[in-house]
Short mmCIF file of all heavy atoms in Angstrom, two decimals:
data_model
loop_
_atom_site.label_atom_id
_atom_site.label_comp_id
_atom_site.label_asym_id
_atom_site.label_seq_id
_atom_site.Cartn_x
_atom_site.Cartn_y
_atom_site.Cartn_z
N PHE A 745 23.87 231.29 192.16
CA PHE A 745 24.69 231.20 190.90
C PHE A 745 23.83 231.21 189.74
O PHE A 745 22.80 230.44 189.66
CB PHE A 745 25.56 229.93 190.96
CG PHE A 745 26.32 229.74 189.64
CD1 PHE A 745 27.46 230.42 189.32
CD2 PHE A 745 25.79 228.84 188.67
CE1 PHE A 745 28.09 230.24 188.10
CE2 PHE A 745 26.47 228.61 187.45
CZ PHE A 745 27.62 229.32 187.20
N THR A 746 24.11 232.07 188.79
CA THR A 746 23.35 232.14 187.56
C THR A 746 24.17 231.90 186.37
O THR A 746 25.26 232.52 186.25
CB THR A 746 22.68 233.57 187.50
OG1 THR A 746 21.87 233.82 188.60
CG2 THR A 746 21.78 233.63 186.22
N LEU A 747 23.73 231.12 185.47
CA LEU A 747 24.38 230.89 184.19
C LEU A 747 23.44 231.39 183.07
O LEU A 747 22.32 230.89 182.92
CB LEU A 747 24.63 229.40 183.93
CG LEU A 747 25.23 229.08 182.58
CD1 LEU A 747 26.51 229.74 182.27
CD2 LEU A 747 25.34 227.54 182.36
N LEU A 748 23.92 232.37 182.24
CA LEU A 748 23.05 232.97 181.26
C LEU A 748 23.71 232.61 179.92
O LEU A 748 24.94 232.77 179.65
CB LEU A 748 23.13 234.48 181.43
CG LEU A 748 22.53 235.26 180.17
CD1 LEU A 748 21.07 235.02 180.01
CD2 LEU A 748 22.78 236.80 180.35
N GLY A 749 22.87 232.02 179.06
CA GLY A 749 23.23 231.73 177.66
C GLY A 749 22.71 232.87 176.77
O GLY A 749 21.50 232.90 176.55
N ARG A 750 23.57 233.79 176.28
CA ARG A 750 23.03 234.94 175.51
C ARG A 750 22.45 234.46 174.19
O ARG A 750 21.45 235.07 173.76
CB ARG A 750 24.14 235.96 175.38
CG ARG A 750 24.55 236.57 176.68
CD ARG A 750 25.42 237.84 176.50
NE ARG A 750 25.81 238.44 177.72
CZ ARG A 750 25.04 239.25 178.46
NH1 ARG A 750 23.80 239.58 178.02
NH2 ARG A 750 25.45 239.73 179.63
N ASP A 751 23.08 233.56 173.54
CA ASP A 751 22.53 233.14 172.22
C ASP A 751 21.21 232.53 172.38
O ASP A 751 20.23 232.66 171.52
CB ASP A 751 23.51 232.11 171.57
CG ASP A 751 24.84 232.76 171.08
OD1 ASP A 751 24.81 233.96 170.93
OD2 ASP A 751 25.80 232.05 170.97
N ALA A 752 20.96 231.66 173.46
CA ALA A 752 19.70 231.06 173.69
C ALA A 752 18.78 231.96 174.35
O ALA A 752 17.56 231.68 174.45
CB ALA A 752 19.91 229.82 174.48
N ASN A 753 19.22 233.14 174.93
CA ASN A 753 18.42 234.02 175.66
C ASN A 753 17.69 233.24 176.79
O ASN A 753 16.46 233.41 176.94
CB ASN A 753 17.41 234.84 174.84
CG ASN A 753 16.97 236.08 175.55
OD1 ASN A 753 17.67 236.64 176.46
ND2 ASN A 753 15.83 236.59 175.22
N ALA A 754 18.42 232.49 177.52
CA ALA A 754 17.84 231.71 178.60
C ALA A 754 18.93 231.60 179.72
O ALA A 754 20.12 231.79 179.50
CB ALA A 754 17.57 230.23 178.08
N TYR A 755 18.41 231.40 180.97
CA TYR A 755 19.31 231.30 182.12
C TYR A 755 18.82 230.28 183.05
O TYR A 755 17.59 229.94 183.11
CB TYR A 755 19.42 232.68 182.80
CG TYR A 755 18.18 233.19 183.47
CD1 TYR A 755 17.91 232.93 184.72
CD2 TYR A 755 17.26 233.97 182.64
CE1 TYR A 755 16.76 233.44 185.29
CE2 TYR A 755 16.11 234.35 183.22
CZ TYR A 755 15.84 234.17 184.49
OH TYR A 755 14.60 234.59 185.16
N THR A 756 19.77 229.80 183.88
CA THR A 756 19.31 228.85 184.95
C THR A 756 20.02 229.37 186.24
O THR A 756 21.10 229.96 186.17
CB THR A 756 19.79 227.48 184.64
OG1 THR A 756 19.33 226.55 185.65
CG2 THR A 756 21.38 227.28 184.56
N GLN A 757 19.44 229.01 187.36
CA GLN A 757 19.93 229.46 188.62
C GLN A 757 19.94 228.34 189.63
O GLN A 757 19.01 227.48 189.64
CB GLN A 757 19.07 230.65 189.20
CG GLN A 757 19.26 231.93 188.35
CD GLN A 757 18.48 233.05 188.99
OE1 GLN A 757 17.25 232.92 189.28
NE2 GLN A 757 19.12 234.24 189.12
N VAL A 758 20.96 228.30 190.50
CA VAL A 758 20.94 227.34 191.63
C VAL A 758 21.41 228.05 192.84
O VAL A 758 22.21 229.01 192.83
CB VAL A 758 21.94 226.19 191.33
CG1 VAL A 758 21.44 225.29 190.19
CG2 VAL A 758 23.27 226.64 190.97
N GLU A 759 20.88 227.63 193.98
CA GLU A 759 21.22 228.18 195.24
C GLU A 759 22.52 227.54 195.74
O GLU A 759 22.59 226.32 195.92
CB GLU A 759 20.15 228.03 196.29
CG GLU A 759 18.83 228.77 195.98
CD GLU A 759 19.02 230.29 195.86
OE1 GLU A 759 19.72 230.81 196.91
OE2 GLU A 759 18.67 230.88 194.91
N VAL A 760 23.59 228.39 195.98
CA VAL A 760 24.88 227.84 196.40
C VAL A 760 25.42 228.83 197.41
O VAL A 760 26.44 229.47 197.17
CB VAL A 760 25.91 227.64 195.26
CG1 VAL A 760 27.06 226.81 195.75
CG2 VAL A 760 25.24 227.00 194.09
N PRO A 761 24.72 229.02 198.58
CA PRO A 761 25.21 229.99 199.54
C PRO A 761 26.62 229.67 200.08
O PRO A 761 26.95 228.50 200.33
CB PRO A 761 24.20 229.92 200.67
CG PRO A 761 23.56 228.64 200.54
CD PRO A 761 23.63 228.24 199.07
N GLY A 762 27.49 230.67 200.19
CA GLY A 762 28.78 230.47 200.67
C GLY A 762 29.87 231.25 199.95
O GLY A 762 29.55 232.27 199.23
N THR A 763 31.03 230.81 200.00
CA THR A 763 32.23 231.54 199.39
C THR A 763 32.41 231.06 197.96
O THR A 763 31.78 230.12 197.46
CB THR A 763 33.47 231.27 200.13
OG1 THR A 763 33.75 229.80 200.03
CG2 THR A 763 33.32 231.56 201.62
N VAL A 764 33.28 231.78 197.26
CA VAL A 764 33.71 231.35 195.89
C VAL A 764 34.37 230.02 195.95
O VAL A 764 34.19 229.18 195.03
CB VAL A 764 34.62 232.43 195.29
CG1 VAL A 764 35.18 231.91 193.99
CG2 VAL A 764 33.80 233.76 195.03
N ASP A 765 35.18 229.72 196.95
CA ASP A 765 35.74 228.37 197.11
C ASP A 765 34.68 227.27 197.05
O ASP A 765 34.79 226.27 196.37
CB ASP A 765 36.56 228.26 198.36
CG ASP A 765 37.85 229.02 198.37
OD1 ASP A 765 37.96 229.99 197.63
OD2 ASP A 765 38.81 228.65 199.11
N HIS A 766 33.70 227.51 197.84
CA HIS A 766 32.51 226.50 197.91
C HIS A 766 31.85 226.38 196.56
O HIS A 766 31.49 225.30 196.06
CB HIS A 766 31.53 226.95 199.00
CG HIS A 766 30.37 226.06 199.06
ND1 HIS A 766 30.46 224.72 199.39
CD2 HIS A 766 29.03 226.29 198.84
CE1 HIS A 766 29.19 224.14 199.40
NE2 HIS A 766 28.34 225.15 198.97
N LEU A 767 31.65 227.57 195.95
CA LEU A 767 30.97 227.59 194.61
C LEU A 767 31.84 226.81 193.57
O LEU A 767 31.21 226.00 192.84
CB LEU A 767 30.89 229.02 194.15
CG LEU A 767 30.36 229.17 192.73
CD1 LEU A 767 28.92 228.75 192.60
CD2 LEU A 767 30.62 230.64 192.18
N VAL A 768 33.12 226.92 193.55
CA VAL A 768 33.99 226.22 192.54
C VAL A 768 33.79 224.74 192.68
O VAL A 768 33.59 224.00 191.79
CB VAL A 768 35.42 226.67 192.75
CG1 VAL A 768 36.29 225.74 192.02
CG2 VAL A 768 35.65 228.06 192.24
N ASP A 769 33.83 224.22 194.02
CA ASP A 769 33.69 222.80 194.22
C ASP A 769 32.24 222.31 193.87
O ASP A 769 32.14 221.22 193.24
CB ASP A 769 34.03 222.53 195.73
CG ASP A 769 35.44 222.62 196.03
OD1 ASP A 769 36.32 222.55 195.13
OD2 ASP A 769 35.79 222.79 197.23
N GLU A 770 31.25 223.09 194.18
CA GLU A 770 29.87 222.70 193.86
C GLU A 770 29.63 222.58 192.38
O GLU A 770 29.02 221.68 191.87
CB GLU A 770 28.92 223.65 194.59
CG GLU A 770 28.73 223.43 196.06
CD GLU A 770 28.04 222.21 196.45
OE1 GLU A 770 26.87 222.03 196.13
OE2 GLU A 770 28.66 221.31 196.99
N LEU A 771 30.11 223.62 191.68
CA LEU A 771 29.86 223.66 190.24
C LEU A 771 30.66 222.52 189.57
O LEU A 771 30.15 221.85 188.62
CB LEU A 771 30.32 224.97 189.67
CG LEU A 771 29.51 226.20 190.02
CD1 LEU A 771 30.15 227.40 189.36
CD2 LEU A 771 28.06 226.03 189.62
N ARG A 772 31.83 222.13 190.03
CA ARG A 772 32.60 221.09 189.46
C ARG A 772 31.91 219.67 189.82
O ARG A 772 31.74 218.88 188.91
CB ARG A 772 34.06 221.09 189.96
CG ARG A 772 34.94 220.02 189.26
CD ARG A 772 36.25 219.93 190.02
NE ARG A 772 36.06 219.33 191.31
CZ ARG A 772 36.33 219.99 192.43
NH1 ARG A 772 36.68 221.27 192.42
NH2 ARG A 772 36.12 219.32 193.63
N ASP A 773 31.68 219.47 190.99
CA ASP A 773 31.32 218.14 191.59
C ASP A 773 29.91 217.89 191.28
O ASP A 773 29.47 216.73 190.97
CB ASP A 773 31.62 218.02 193.09
CG ASP A 773 33.12 218.20 193.30
OD1 ASP A 773 33.88 217.87 192.42
OD2 ASP A 773 33.38 218.48 194.50
N ARG A 774 28.99 218.83 191.34
CA ARG A 774 27.50 218.54 191.34
C ARG A 774 26.90 218.97 189.97
O ARG A 774 25.93 218.38 189.60
CB ARG A 774 26.75 219.23 192.47
CG ARG A 774 27.19 218.76 193.86
CD ARG A 774 26.31 219.44 194.89
NE ARG A 774 24.87 219.21 194.65
CZ ARG A 774 23.95 219.71 195.34
NH1 ARG A 774 24.23 220.57 196.42
NH2 ARG A 774 22.67 219.53 195.12
N HIS A 775 27.46 220.01 189.33
CA HIS A 775 26.79 220.56 188.20
C HIS A 775 27.58 220.44 186.90
O HIS A 775 27.06 220.81 185.87
CB HIS A 775 26.41 222.04 188.48
CG HIS A 775 25.49 222.18 189.65
ND1 HIS A 775 24.18 221.79 189.64
CD2 HIS A 775 25.80 222.67 190.94
CE1 HIS A 775 23.67 222.04 190.84
NE2 HIS A 775 24.63 222.59 191.60
N GLY A 776 28.88 220.04 187.01
CA GLY A 776 29.66 219.93 185.78
C GLY A 776 29.92 221.27 185.04
O GLY A 776 29.92 221.38 183.84
N ARG A 777 30.00 222.38 185.76
CA ARG A 777 30.15 223.69 185.19
C ARG A 777 31.39 224.30 185.77
O ARG A 777 31.42 225.02 186.80
CB ARG A 777 28.90 224.61 185.56
CG ARG A 777 27.62 224.22 184.93
CD ARG A 777 27.67 224.53 183.43
NE ARG A 777 26.33 224.20 182.82
CZ ARG A 777 26.14 224.36 181.52
NH1 ARG A 777 27.12 224.79 180.66
NH2 ARG A 777 24.95 224.10 180.98
N PRO A 778 32.50 224.22 184.98
CA PRO A 778 33.74 224.75 185.51
C PRO A 778 33.82 226.28 185.33
O PRO A 778 33.17 226.88 184.45
CB PRO A 778 34.78 224.07 184.57
CG PRO A 778 34.08 223.86 183.34
CD PRO A 778 32.66 223.53 183.68
N LEU A 779 34.59 226.90 186.19
CA LEU A 779 34.85 228.36 186.01
C LEU A 779 36.24 228.52 185.34
O LEU A 779 37.14 227.73 185.65
CB LEU A 779 34.87 229.04 187.39
CG LEU A 779 33.45 229.08 188.08
CD1 LEU A 779 33.61 229.64 189.52
CD2 LEU A 779 32.49 229.90 187.29
N PRO A 780 36.43 229.54 184.51
CA PRO A 780 37.70 229.73 183.88
C PRO A 780 38.82 229.98 184.88
O PRO A 780 38.73 230.75 185.82
CB PRO A 780 37.49 231.09 183.07
CG PRO A 780 35.98 231.14 182.88
CD PRO A 780 35.39 230.48 184.13
N GLY A 781 39.87 229.19 184.82
CA GLY A 781 41.02 229.31 185.75
C GLY A 781 40.61 229.15 187.18
O GLY A 781 41.18 229.85 188.10
N ALA A 782 39.71 228.21 187.47
CA ALA A 782 39.07 228.06 188.78
C ALA A 782 40.13 227.94 189.93
O ALA A 782 39.99 228.64 191.02
CB ALA A 782 38.14 226.91 188.87
N ASP A 783 41.22 227.21 189.72
CA ASP A 783 42.17 226.98 190.85
C ASP A 783 42.82 228.28 191.21
O ASP A 783 43.28 228.49 192.40
CB ASP A 783 43.23 225.98 190.39
CG ASP A 783 42.69 224.69 190.07
OD1 ASP A 783 42.04 224.12 191.01
OD2 ASP A 783 42.85 224.14 188.97
N LEU A 784 42.94 229.28 190.27
CA LEU A 784 43.60 230.55 190.54
C LEU A 784 42.69 231.54 191.30
O LEU A 784 43.13 232.52 191.78
CB LEU A 784 44.01 231.18 189.22
CG LEU A 784 44.89 230.26 188.36
CD1 LEU A 784 45.19 230.99 186.99
CD2 LEU A 784 46.25 229.94 189.06
N LEU A 785 41.38 231.20 191.34
CA LEU A 785 40.48 232.11 192.03
C LEU A 785 40.29 231.77 193.56
O LEU A 785 39.55 232.56 194.22
CB LEU A 785 39.00 232.02 191.28
CG LEU A 785 39.04 232.25 189.78
CD1 LEU A 785 37.64 232.12 189.25
CD2 LEU A 785 39.54 233.68 189.59
N LEU A 786 40.75 230.63 193.99
CA LEU A 786 40.45 230.19 195.33
C LEU A 786 41.24 231.09 196.41
O LEU A 786 42.20 231.73 196.02
CB LEU A 786 40.81 228.80 195.46
CG LEU A 786 40.08 227.78 194.51
CD1 LEU A 786 40.51 226.39 194.61
CD2 LEU A 786 38.55 227.93 194.72
N SER A 787 40.87 230.85 197.63
CA SER A 787 41.51 231.68 198.66
C SER A 787 42.90 231.22 198.96
O SER A 787 43.74 231.97 199.47
CB SER A 787 40.64 231.55 199.99
OG SER A 787 40.57 230.20 200.35
N ASN A 788 43.30 229.97 198.58
CA ASN A 788 44.60 229.44 198.75
C ASN A 788 44.97 228.67 197.48
O ASN A 788 44.98 227.43 197.46
CB ASN A 788 44.76 228.63 199.97
CG ASN A 788 46.19 228.23 200.30
OD1 ASN A 788 47.09 228.28 199.41
ND2 ASN A 788 46.47 227.88 201.59
N PRO A 789 45.34 229.33 196.41
CA PRO A 789 45.70 228.62 195.22
C PRO A 789 46.75 227.57 195.33
O PRO A 789 46.72 226.47 194.75
CB PRO A 789 46.11 229.73 194.20
CG PRO A 789 45.34 230.93 194.67
CD PRO A 789 45.38 230.78 196.18
N PHE A 790 47.79 227.91 196.18
CA PHE A 790 48.88 226.95 196.32
C PHE A 790 48.40 225.62 196.87
O PHE A 790 48.75 224.55 196.38
CB PHE A 790 50.01 227.61 197.34
CG PHE A 790 51.13 226.64 197.50
CD1 PHE A 790 52.18 226.73 196.67
CD2 PHE A 790 51.22 225.80 198.59
CE1 PHE A 790 53.29 225.96 196.81
CE2 PHE A 790 52.37 224.95 198.72
CZ PHE A 790 53.39 225.05 197.90
#
């Protein structure tokens, strides 16, 4: 997973192998980085 700040012209990367579902949980719980509309992107939004 890569987060790029264009204004700062800097980026950070973390290894999060797996699915988008796993990524959403890892970013929320471990890194405090939410994805826009994250619940709607999961394999089972319901």
Side-chain angles (χ1 to χ4, degrees):
F745 171 79
T746 303
L747 173 64
L748 168 67
R750 294 192 179 279
D751 290 339
N753 200 24
Y755 64 94
T756 187
Q757 294 183 307
V758 292
E759 295 298 311
V760 195
T763 64
V764 169
D765 286 27
H766 176 64
L767 172 71
V768 167
D769 289 338
E770 286 289 294
L771 292 180
R772 183 193 71 245
D773 297 337
R774 295 185 57 187
H775 302 287
R777 291 288 184 181
L779 293 174
D783 297 304
L784 306 175
L785 304 177
L786 302 177
S787 59
N788 189 339
F790 182 85

